[in-house]
């Protein structure tokens, strides 16, 4: 492992140890629940019914308990006159946007909707008293699955007829009809992608402190995007002036998408703090977080592909019902529409694609982006239907894929679903993965073991491409986004030559304090130890959009790089002035400015920082100081890609799956820190495997979350996961200054179809050509039994 003292010229692209780890590993790091140790605690009373009208709420018994400070209902909050409406951040044509109050007043729409809050001196007293709040309900029929939701009565929201929030289409349906008419064959598949409950180590939390004298409100919270939280708390829910609201994300123990959103809980916590003039905090229990935090996926899809006998693809169509849950969070509408439909082309040249998505309200927790958001669902459709088609054509699945890969010379590639892939060498990554697994030999082995030993190996291959780096602001605005997609980065030299970098991205484990320091140290040519990175505090970082959509490297990193460039240009002017040379004659290399042809006449950028602040000898008209701020707005997404291959053995008698080998070849362009990239791939594969084999958020017929705790929700454990064999290719992105592409979600997107394809491949001798996730032992065992019963 390299030390942080390594030479300046190879900092970018090096395996530098993560500087955040020692405090995390020694318990020094402070999380939200470590803040305000003397605060009162709020316990939120939640509906135990999936769908019901609130008739009465009696707080009296709770209020009478020892240690209780106050108790509130949704009426108290509503009558305080705050805006009280959590909004969605992406509008679609015809979208229905019912008001989402931070506490229900009339109706509850899923188990977990907040109906009252009790504030007490400590957490235990608050929970105890909350259990004594007496709520009378009139129960209503509930619905939790997206296809059943359409047309179900009574609707989740009065405003949404048939429970439909939006009906979205992308692509040219006439071109697709023609493609299907012309092709030799049509293969089809019905796919369910169940609800996934994201599991960060740290459940959501908030801690609020209000100063009535100055009207300043400080909120520590588990946020992936503190500036967005500040804006929404200010303009949409609390109405607290934005400039008097400080939102801080201290250490955040994982997010995976779930901590992007503005939930009622932080607003209730802050509202109580303001109301009572006392510090108040809230910490979700794991089961509370399961019931109220966002879930992911929840797609039911019918897909068809038109393909010739030789494997040439003519067209693809997909019709999807997407469950949205009871309330729209900020990306709930973008995730199943634009983030999904635009990636259906995958790595392939598919001349015509059409996608329709019906977004349906259901009586469940809100559904929104989870690692891979939209792109995971889209690539799953494409990579599954390719295997189904290959099977029907009697073609090797890698041959079908190879035949249709987009050629490297065709980039930038305009797909028929509206995106322009930046760069790619898909065949190179695929060949490397096939070589690593020794594909031909594995196929031989598979055949031999089936024939000779009655053993069922499966080989699953998935190619993926994804759009990382949300997002070009103007393009997003044209498609319905109500926020920008830029990122802010500040590079500030101190007079001593040390550097502080501020970035609007916000880490939850990705290692930004290491990688953004690498970017700045490389550009500025200063030692890595001389650069500190600050994120996650709205009073320190000027503005920011946050961390999601694998944007921190391609957008945040680019913002930091752009600011470093600006700083270098100012420093160059000072160097030219002091060295008495023309600016064009001053070169910058490895932190030193020197005159072309006279290398001994030089000044370091760290010396110039000092000169810039004492300001005795800088050019006339120049302002003192050495710092720069950039708002970097990307011209496009970046499109990382790769090929994953799993080798599994399935035991038909028990349904057990053993992943014998897992090969991942990823391409995220230039890598800032290969070790961090590899860590991202490892974590992503684990989550992708979890979705394929184990995870499913299940509700019963009454709308109760039956997988409401870690006892019931199956997460992958170490012994469910194989050793990963990883490699990478490097195809730089042409449109950001670093050549990087995002990587945070890639492996989750690749792993799920890889493993499902492998298991289905193993079961091919039983006549099984598709199974819906999760591929639990029971699912596989039953499918084999059913087929055996058929024969
Ligand atoms: N990186 C790099 N070289 C590249 C690309 C990225 O060295 N070419 C580094 C980055 O500098 C950063 C990390 O890899 O340290 C991830 O970068 P990026 O792909 O830009 O993703 P973000 O930092 O924006 O993180 C978001 C992404 C998403 S969307 C989810 S969900 C997710 C993920 O990251 N959640 C995570 N990875 C996670 N990792 C942890 N530990 N915890 C989460 O909650």
């Amino acid at each position: 492992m390299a030390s942080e003292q390594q030479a300046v010229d190879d900092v970018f692209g090096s395996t530098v140890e993560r500087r955040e780890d020692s405090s995390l590993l020694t318990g020094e790091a402070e999380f939200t629940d470590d803040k305000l140790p003397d605060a009162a605690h709020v316990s939120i009373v939640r509906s135990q019914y999936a769908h019901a009208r609130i008739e009465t709420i009696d707080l009296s018994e709770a209020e009478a308990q020892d240690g209780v400070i106050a108790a509130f209902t949704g009426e108290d909050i509503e009558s305080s006159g705050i805006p009280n409406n959590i909004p969605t951040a992406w509008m679609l044509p015809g979208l229905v946007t019912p008001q989402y109050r931070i506490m229900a007043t009339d109706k509850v729409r899923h188990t977990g909707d907040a109906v009252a809050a009790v504030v007490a001196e400590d957490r235990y007293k608050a929970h105890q008293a909350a259990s004594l709040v007496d709520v009378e309900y009139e129960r209503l029929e509930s619905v939790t699955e997206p296809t059943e939701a359409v047309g179900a009565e009574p609707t989740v929201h009065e405003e949404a007829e048939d429970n439909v929030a939006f009906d979205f289409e992308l692509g040219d349906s006439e071109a697709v009809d023609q493609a299907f008419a012309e092709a030799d064959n049509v293969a089809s598949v019905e796919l369910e992608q169940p609800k996934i409950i994201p599991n960060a180590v740290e459940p959501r939390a908030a801690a609020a402190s209000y100063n009535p004298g100055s009207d300043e409100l400080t909120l520590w919270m588990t946020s992936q995007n503190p500036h967005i939280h500040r804006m929404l708390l200010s303009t949409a829910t609390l109405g607290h002036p934005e400039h008097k609201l400080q939102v801080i994300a201290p250490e955040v123990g994982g997010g995976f998408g779930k901590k992007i959103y503005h939930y009622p809980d932080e607003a209730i916590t802050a509202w109580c703090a303001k109301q009572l003039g006392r510090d108040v905090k809230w910490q979700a229990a794991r089961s509370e977080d399961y019931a109220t935090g966002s879930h992911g996926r929840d797609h039911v899809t019918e897909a068809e592909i038109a393909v010739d006998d030789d494997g040439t693809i003519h067209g693809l169509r997909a019709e999807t019902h997407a469950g949205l849950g009871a309330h729209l969070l900020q990306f709930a509408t973008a995730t199943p529409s634009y983030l999904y439909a635009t990636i259906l082309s995958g790595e392939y040249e598919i001349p015509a694609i059409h996608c329709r998505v019906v977004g349906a309200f259901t009586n469940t927790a809100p559904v929104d982006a989870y690692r891979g958001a939209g792109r995971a669902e889209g690539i799953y459709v494409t990579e599954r239907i390719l295997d189904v088609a290959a099977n029907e054509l009697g073609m090797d699945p890698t041959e079908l894929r190879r035949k249709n890969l987009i050629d490297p010379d065709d980039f930038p590639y305009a797909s028929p679903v509206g995106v322009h892939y930046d760069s790619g060498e898909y065949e190179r990554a695929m060949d490397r993965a096939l070589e690593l697994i020794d594909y031909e030999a594995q196929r031989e082995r598979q055949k031999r073991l089936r024939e000779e030993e009655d053993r069922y190996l499966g080989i699953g291959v998935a190619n993926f491409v994804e759009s990382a780096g949300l997002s070009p602001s103007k393009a997003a605005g044209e498609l319905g986004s109500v926020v920008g997609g830029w990122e802010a980065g500040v590079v500030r030299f101190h007079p001593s030559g040390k550097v502080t970098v501020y970035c609007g991205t916000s880490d939850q484990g990705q290692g930004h304090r290491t990688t953004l320091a690498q970017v700045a140290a490389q550009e500025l040519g200063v030692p890595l130890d001389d650069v500190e990175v600050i994120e996650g505090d709205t009073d320190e970082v000027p503005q920011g959009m946050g961390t999601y959509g694998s944007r921190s490297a391609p957008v945040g990193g680019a913002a930091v790089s752009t600011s470093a460039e600006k700083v270098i240009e100012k420093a160059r002017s000072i160097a030219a002035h002091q060295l008495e040379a023309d600016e064009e004659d001053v070169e910058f290399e490895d932190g030193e400015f020197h005159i072309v042809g006279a290398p001994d006449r030089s000044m370091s950028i760290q010396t110039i920082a000092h000169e810039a602040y004492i300001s005795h000898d800088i050019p006339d008209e120049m302002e003192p100081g050495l710092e720069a701020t950039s708002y970097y707005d990307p011209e496009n997404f970046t499109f990382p890609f790769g090929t994953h291959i799993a080798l599994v053995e399935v035991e038909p008698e028990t349904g057990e799956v053993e992943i014998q080998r897992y090969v991942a070849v990823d391409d995220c362009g230039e890598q800032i820190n290969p070790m961090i990239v590899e860590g991202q791939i490892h974590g992503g594969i684990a989550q992708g495997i979890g979705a394929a084999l184990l995870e499913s958020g299940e509700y019963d017929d009454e709308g109760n979350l039956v997988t409401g705790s870690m006892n019931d929700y199956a997460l992958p454990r170490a012994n469910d996961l194989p050793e990963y064999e990883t490699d990478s290719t490097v195809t730089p992105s042409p449109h950001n200054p670093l050549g990087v592409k995002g990587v945070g979600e890639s492996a989750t997107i690749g792993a799920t179809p890889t493993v499902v394809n492998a298991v289905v491949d193993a079961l091919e001798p039983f006549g099984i050509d598709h199974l819906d996730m999760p591929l639990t032992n029971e699912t596989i065992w039953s499918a084999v039994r059913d087929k055996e019963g058929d024969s």
Side-chain angles (χ1 to χ4, degrees):
M1 207 63 50
S3 104
E4 290 207 2
Q5 295 298 342
Q6 72 199 103
V8 165
D9 60 358
D10 65 357
V11 162
F12 184 101
S14 289
T15 285
V16 169
E17 272 183 55
R18 284 166 42 107
R19 40 173 69 173
E20 34 284 270
D21 283 347
S22 71
S23 74
L24 290 168
L25 293 171
T26 56
E28 294 291 312
E30 291 207 335
F31 294 81
T32 298
D33 198 37
D34 295 316
K35 303 293 175 187
L36 302 179
D38 300 324
H41 285 256
V42 58
S43 176
I44 298 173
V45 182
R46 303 189 182 274
S47 167
Q48 74 266 44
Y49 297 124
H51 202 186
R53 270 181 230 296
I54 300 171
E55 294 192 323
T56 58
I57 303 178
D58 183 356
L59 301 175
S60 55
E61 207 178 336
E63 285 170 327
Q65 298 302 303
D66 193 28
V68 168
I69 299 162
F72 303 104
T73 65
E75 294 294 350
D76 296 323
I77 292 178
E78 182 75 4
S79 61
S80 70
I82 62 170
N84 203 9
N85 184 20
I86 294 178
T88 187
W90 202 292
M91 306 307 287
L92 296 172
L95 178 70
V96 180
T97 55
Q99 181 171 2
Y100 180 12
R101 293 185 176 85
I102 62 175
M103 195 176 282
T105 51
D106 52 348
K107 224 173 89 156
V108 287
R109 295 177 167 88
H110 74 105
T111 58
D113 259 342
V115 291
V118 178
V119 184
E121 294 296 344
D122 68 38
R123 182 169 295 161
Y124 308 99
K125 290 188 171 116
H127 286 321
Q128 163 67 12
S131 70
L132 299 171
V133 172
D134 188 12
V135 187
E136 297 278 336
Y137 295 98
E138 179 205 346
R139 290 186 68 180
L140 303 168
E141 288 291 313
S142 62
V143 64
T144 59
E145 297 302 324
T147 42
E148 289 166 20
V150 177
E153 293 281 342
T155 54
V156 180
H157 296 276
E158 285 64 31
E159 301 90 327
E161 200 183 327
D162 289 335
N163 283 323
V164 173
F166 64 81
D167 193 340
F168 167 88
E169 286 190 62
L170 190 68
D172 183 341
S173 62
E174 282 178 20
V176 170
D177 288 346
Q178 198 176 336
F180 274 72
E182 285 168 1
D184 296 335
N185 310 283
V186 172
S188 61
V189 67
E190 286 184 25
L191 304 161
E192 284 191 27
Q193 303 189 58
K195 299 173 187 71
I196 295 285
I197 303 181
N199 268 279
V201 173
E202 181 200 23
R204 292 180 301 113
S209 183
Y210 179 61
N211 181 337
S214 62
D215 195 30
E216 282 169 342
L217 179 62
T218 308
L219 181 67
W220 290 263
M221 63 175 288
T222 48
S223 171
Q224 296 183 216
N225 31 229
H227 291 87
I228 300 292
H229 273 114
R230 179 175 68 166
M231 184 179 73
L232 294 175
L233 281 153
S234 170
T235 59
T237 52
L238 290 185
H240 194 87
E242 197 175 3
H243 62 303
K244 293 189 178 202
L245 177 55
Q246 181 182 11
V247 176
I248 303 169
E251 289 297 348
V252 176
F256 308 114
K258 192 180 209 159
K259 292 171 181 168
I260 299 172
Y261 315 113
H262 180 20
Y263 294 94
D265 314 299
E266 55 265 16
I268 292 170
T269 308
W271 184 88
C272 289
K274 275 184 81 171
Q275 204 70 14
L276 299 170
R278 279 195 64 163
D279 294 351
V280 175
K281 72 177 171 180
W282 168 80
Q283 169 71 64
R286 176 71 55 182
S287 52
E288 189 178 10
D289 206 26
Y290 272 23
T292 60
S294 63
H295 296 178
R297 316 293 192 242
D298 205 10
H299 277 207
V300 180
T301 299
E302 290 177 18
E304 287 184 307
I305 194 163
V307 54
D308 277 345
D309 292 336
D310 70 354
T312 305
I313 301 173
H314 287 257
L316 175 73
R317 60 163 79 101
E319 184 152 336
T320 295
H321 281 78
L324 304 171
H327 305 288
L328 298 178
L329 294 175
Q330 283 78 52
F331 284 141
T333 49
T335 300
S337 60
Y338 285 109
L339 289 177
Y340 166 66
T342 53
I343 211 68
L344 284 167
S345 201
E347 288 193 350
Y348 313 103
E349 202 176 325
I350 303 179
I353 300 179
H354 181 258
C355 179
R356 177 177 174 215
V357 183
V358 175
F361 287 112
T362 54
N363 296 108
T364 74
V367 180
D368 207 312
Y370 164 64
R371 197 173 195 174
R375 290 135 307 150
E377 294 90 313
I379 291 296
Y380 183 73
V381 170
T382 306
E383 291 299 311
R384 273 304 299 133
I385 202 165
L386 280 177
D387 262 27
V388 171
N391 198 16
E392 288 185 16
L393 294 173
M395 214 172 170
D396 183 281
T398 61
E399 197 189 326
L400 176 59
R401 286 175 168 79
R402 190 187 297 281
K403 185 163 186 70
N404 293 284
L405 287 178
I406 298 164
D407 193 87
D409 295 334
D410 289 343
F411 289 88
Y413 176 78
S415 91
V417 268
V419 282
H420 288 77
Y421 295 170
D422 55 350
S423 60
E425 275 208 52
Y426 299 153
E427 199 163 13
R428 177 164 61 142
M430 183 168 150
D431 280 341
R432 179 71 187 125
L434 293 171
E435 182 191 354
L436 281 172
I437 200 97
D438 202 358
Y439 185 74
E440 295 303 332
Q442 297 298 357
R443 283 284 175 215
E444 286 299 315
R445 186 169 157 246
Q446 178 186 43
K447 193 161 172 274
R448 184 172 49 75
L449 288 177
R450 272 181 195 175
E451 285 168 4
E452 295 173 13
E453 297 184 33
D454 223 11
R455 284 174 59 191
Y456 298 92
L457 292 196
I459 305 164
V461 179
N463 291 330
F464 69 90
V465 59
E466 65 121 335
S467 46
L470 268 167
S471 61
S473 298
K474 287 201 178 75
E478 281 162 17
L479 299 179
S481 170
V482 300
V483 291
W486 45 264
E487 196 46 83
V490 179
V491 170
R492 177 176 298 157
F493 264 99
H494 299 269
S496 62
K498 307 285 187 201
V499 180
T500 303
V501 167
Y502 302 83
C503 193
T505 50
S506 202
D507 188 271
Q508 319 112 54
Q510 293 89 347
H512 296 167
R513 264 167 279 164
T514 306
T515 49
L516 292 177
Q518 286 179 265
V519 169
Q522 177 77 39
E523 300 265 349
L524 299 170
V526 302
L528 189 58
D529 278 350
D530 285 355
V531 183
E532 198 55 54
V533 175
I534 293 182
E535 288 185 321
D537 184 335
T538 57
D539 272 13
E540 295 228 46
V541 182
Q543 288 294 340
M545 299 304 296
T547 288
Y548 44 81
S550 303
R551 65 191 304 278
S552 304
V555 190
V560 170
S561 163
T562 308
S563 284
E565 282 301 321
K566 290 179 186 170
V567 162
I568 291 166
E569 286 320 304
K570 182 170 181 183
R572 189 193 305 275
S573 302
I574 298 173
H577 175 79
Q578 294 206 2
L579 295 170
E580 296 175 344
D582 284 343
E583 275 181 42
E584 304 83 69
D585 295 334
V586 176
E587 276 186 337
F588 182 63
E589 201 180 354
D590 294 344
E592 293 280 331
F593 291 97
H594 58 81
I595 296 177
V596 182
D600 51 325
R601 292 183 62 204
S602 71
M603 288 179 84
S604 81
I605 193 165
Q606 292 183 296
T607 307
I608 291 174
H610 181 254
E611 293 296 316
Y613 282 102
I614 60 171
S615 197
H616 297 164
D617 188 17
I618 61 174
D620 294 341
E621 316 291 326
M622 181 183 271
E623 288 179 13
L626 193 57
E627 67 172 73
T629 300
S630 303
Y631 284 74
Y632 176 82
D633 202 341
E635 68 181 70
N636 190 0
F637 289 89
T638 64
F639 291 85
F641 60 90
T643 298
H644 288 201
I645 305 181
L647 179 66
V648 304
E649 179 161 3
V650 179
E651 172 53 75
E653 296 297 317
T654 61
E656 224 169 308
V657 176
E658 183 202 359
I659 303 178
Q660 295 184 341
R661 287 184 63 194
Y662 194 99
V663 164
V665 177
D666 279 82
D667 192 320
C668 60
E670 301 290 352
Q671 300 182 9
I672 303 169
N673 185 325
M675 178 191 66
I676 288 183
V677 166
E678 196 176 0
Q680 288 293 315
I681 302 292
H682 281 204
I685 296 172
Q687 285 179 299
I689 291 176
L693 297 183
L694 298 163
E695 297 184 50
S696 177
E698 297 285 342
Y699 287 83
D700 68 12
D701 291 345
E702 306 285 305
N704 299 304
L705 181 61
V706 292
T707 54
S709 78
M710 279 192 171
N711 284 335
D712 312 297
Y713 186 83
L715 281 175
R717 303 173 196 209
N719 63 353
D720 296 310
L721 302 170
E723 289 288 320
Y724 309 128
E725 300 165 56
T726 58
D727 200 358
S728 57
T729 56
V730 176
T731 312
S733 176
H735 59 67
N736 67 59
L738 303 172
V740 298
K741 302 182 177 196
V743 76
E745 295 161 285
S746 293
T748 313
I749 296 168
T752 304
T754 299
V755 172
V756 174
N757 284 351
V759 173
V760 173
D761 183 54
L763 297 172
E764 191 265 333
F766 297 91
I768 292 169
D769 64 359
H770 178 69
L771 284 179
D772 278 324
M773 299 181 287
L775 303 181
T776 60
N777 299 0
E778 189 189 346
T779 302
I780 293 168
W781 181 84
S782 307
V784 171
R785 286 292 83 75
D786 287 352
K787 287 290 178 186
E788 284 179 342
D790 289 349
S791 60

